[in-house]
Amino acid sequence: MISILEHRHWCCFLDIRLNELSCVDHKNNSVCIKLLEADQDASVPEDWILVERVGSLEEVELTFALKQQNVNQMDELLKLVSDPDSHQYGKYLSLEEVAALVRPSQLTEKVVQNWLQSHGVKNCHTVVTQDFLQCVMTVQVAEELLPGTKFHRYRRESHTLLRSTSLYSVHEDVHQHLDFVGGVHRFPPKGKDISKGWEGARQSALGFHLGVTPSVIRSRYNLTAKDVGTATNNSQAVAQFLEQYYHPADLAEFMCLFAGGFTHMSAVERVVGTQGRGKAGIEASLDVEYIMSSGANISTWVFTNPGRHESQEPFLQWMMLLSNMSAVPWVHTISYGDDEDSLSDAYMNRINIEFMKAGLRGISMLFASGDSGAGCRHLTKERNTFRPSFPASSPYVTTVGGTSFKNPFKVTYEVTDYISGGGFSNVFARPGYQVAAVEAYLKSVQPLPPQTYFNITGRAYPDLAALSDNYWVVTNRVPVPWVSGTSASTPVVGGILSLINDQRFLKGLPSLGFINPRLYKLQGKGLYDVTEGCHLSCLDDKVEGKGFCASPLWDPVTGWGTPNYPALLKALMD
């Protein structure tokens, strides 16, 4: 049952599975309300500390995700513009054309606006696509608007946040017009310790490993000194959400130390958002340094956003920015993820639509597959399952896994990095573009983990991979070794796709856009197949810490493999 302000009197209660409809007497009127994100995990992660109940006159900024139109039509159109065998391949839409397609109905806009105005909420702004409304209001108004909410302030290190740990409802007339309300739940995931790379089995090589630098990346993936960007209309981006900042001085120093053999840029062209002050974060440094040394000499943007309000959700803020900018970079790489089971289906489905919007515009979205292998969720004392990550599990993004060198002393072939995230979504069905590849894996590889551990019919990931082990990074003006994680492999793949876009633009071809349908049709062409090694999972007596294993062709650890730039370029140049 949902919680309602205590002085209200219940007049009826109807349980429709998780969509509970509750009616209360309020000011002598019967008001019916309904849970909007009934399956959202509203608990407080252990690294956040409760500070206080938020005062009723303090302000929050909430994001209302209005129901969009023509979602099925968008899905079909994305398939056509992304399929190289389609006559519409590469015929992308402008932001304004996407907006005309998805804009909420007049009824939806009117109902939501009337609802907000009836509570005195007037300080709102929207985006070009008009499917988000962001409104500032007092906590008192927010808690009346969303019965069940009780806002508290939480702290993690120096970062504070306003959140409610009880589920929220909305007026039943509004329920069908909203996907979710942002700024109520969802704590930012904890940043990973990405320099943890030398534990256990890796310890023996400490001090002797070659280490991964731009020259090693360019050697392994066959990039010559001439393979740099020259097209004036090309651009790429990294997005950062975890209070992580890069320092321009670190980037300049990194390029001075490690980028001597090829033409490159030593400065980011544009920062969207506000860079925080203080120490640089290793992950932020890593993202920028490696997208700019792989996708060398290509204009690069950094999206960063310490929120203006403590109630904002940084990832959601970035998605809204994309819906408000008519010109954005062609390739975005993002090292960010959360457990699927911690997020509501409504939220994830809506984020998928945002990815569709990007794909329709010819934008490539690359996400790190995560650093927990297959993951592990403890359901009961006796029962575990693997734990997929989102957005890695989204059918509408390209997900990048991780590899290590077989021989740590020289540039050799690659094997699985045991941390490489991968597996099968528990929420999203397997998309058509990958059915044949995934079914071939499931039939050919034995033994598979027990089927109680994963959803055999789900979207499988990653789609491809790159080196993720033992990178050199410059952060706070100091070169740091042993940095590992798919946070490293993702910007490398992003930079390589940007180089391919560069060559396509010089020939008058459109950007690669949402690459998955084409990638799966290549069936591994242009990629080094990774066939050795398994990633980690649950430490129990059934799977004993072992998740899925690499195999010939596609697998849920390294996808189709790692880039062989000249061959991949050739395969993607029409």
Side-chain angles (χ1 to χ4, degrees), residues 353-375:
I353 299 170
E354 300 308 303
F355 294 145
M356 277 190 229
K357 283 157 66 175
L360 284 171
R361 296 169 64 189
I363 298 165
S364 302
M365 290 277 179
L366 276 65
F367 277 83
S369 69
D371 296 344
S372 305

Side-chain angles (χ1 to χ4, degrees), residues 37-50 148 150 152-156 161-168 184-190 338-344 377 387:
E37 292 185 84
D39 56 340
Q40 173 65 43
D41 180 359
S43 63
V44 183
E46 59 186 22
D47 51 331
W48 288 91
I49 298 163
L50 173 63
K150 288 181 180 172
H152 292 81
R153 180 170 281 106
Y154 296 89
R155 188 180 75 244
R156 179 173 68 190
L161 205 60
L162 305 186
R163 288 292 183 266
S164 170
T165 56
S166 47
L167 295 176
Y168 66 95
V184 182
H185 302 312
R186 285 178 290 278
F187 288 77
K190 189 175 183 179
D338 217 337
D339 298 326
E340 258 189 5
D341 56 81
S342 74
L343 302 168
S344 71
R377 185 182 183 196
R387 195 167 208 173

Side-chain angles (χ1 to χ4, degrees), residues 188-326:
K190 189 175 183 179
K192 301 177 292 292
D193 178 7
I194 57 171
S195 55
K196 69 180 186 300
W198 291 99
E199 297 166 2
R202 297 187 182 180
Q203 195 70 42
S204 61
L206 181 59
F208 302 105
H209 195 285
L210 173 74
V212 174
T213 63
S215 62
V216 170
I217 293 284
R218 295 179 77 84
S219 171
R220 170 59 187 156
Y221 299 139
N222 294 319
L223 293 159
T224 69
K226 292 179 182 175
D227 293 319
V228 297
T230 55
T232 54
N233 56 337
N234 199 7
S235 54
Q236 58 191 3
V238 297
Q240 298 158 353
F241 314 109
L242 301 176
E243 297 291 308
Q244 283 257 340
Y245 317 111
Y246 90 98
H247 279 185
D250 290 339
L251 175 61
E253 173 109 348
F254 177 85
M255 291 300 188
C256 181
L257 286 174
F258 296 118
F262 52 91
T263 306
H264 58 270
M265 295 179 182
S266 294
V268 164
E269 177 167 304
R270 183 171 176 190
V271 175
V272 183
T274 310
Q275 278 268 103
R277 302 184 194 281
K279 279 188 165 186
I282 286 186
E283 186 157 322
S285 305
L286 174 72
D287 289 347
V288 175
E289 289 165 9
Y290 279 90
I291 198 170
M292 289 186 69
S293 53
S294 299
N297 212 40
I298 294 172
S299 166
T300 303
W301 296 18
V302 172
F303 285 83
T304 180
N305 55 337
R308 289 171 300 142
H309 278 266
E310 289 175 286
S311 51
Q312 286 181 345
E313 295 182 41
F315 180 72
L316 189 56
Q317 291 296 116
W318 169 72
M319 294 255 63
M320 287 177 61
L321 267 176
L322 296 183
S323 280
N324 218 25
M325 299 176 77
S326 54

Side-chain angles (χ1 to χ4, degrees), residues 120-142:
V121 178
K122 291 173 184 169
N123 183 5
C124 297
H125 61 272
T126 186
V127 291
V128 171
T129 47
Q130 301 201 352
D131 44 9
F132 287 107
L133 264 181
Q134 203 155 40
C135 304
V136 177
M137 66 200 77
T138 65
V139 166
Q140 182 178 350
V141 169

Side-chain angles (χ1 to χ4, degrees), residues 376-424:
C376 189
R377 185 182 183 196
H378 307 292
L379 297 177
T380 66
K381 196 174 180 183
E382 301 295 323
R383 187 169 169 237
N384 297 323
T385 63
F386 294 160
R387 195 167 208 173
S389 172
F390 181 83
S393 66
S394 167
Y396 301 100
V397 303
T398 301
T399 305
V400 183
T403 61
S404 303
F405 280 126
K406 173 70 171 177
N407 181 339
F409 308 109
K410 57 185 179 181
V411 178
T412 54
Y413 71 94
E414 294 160 74
V415 296
T416 294
D417 185 347
Y418 69 86
I419 62 165
S420 179
F424 294 75

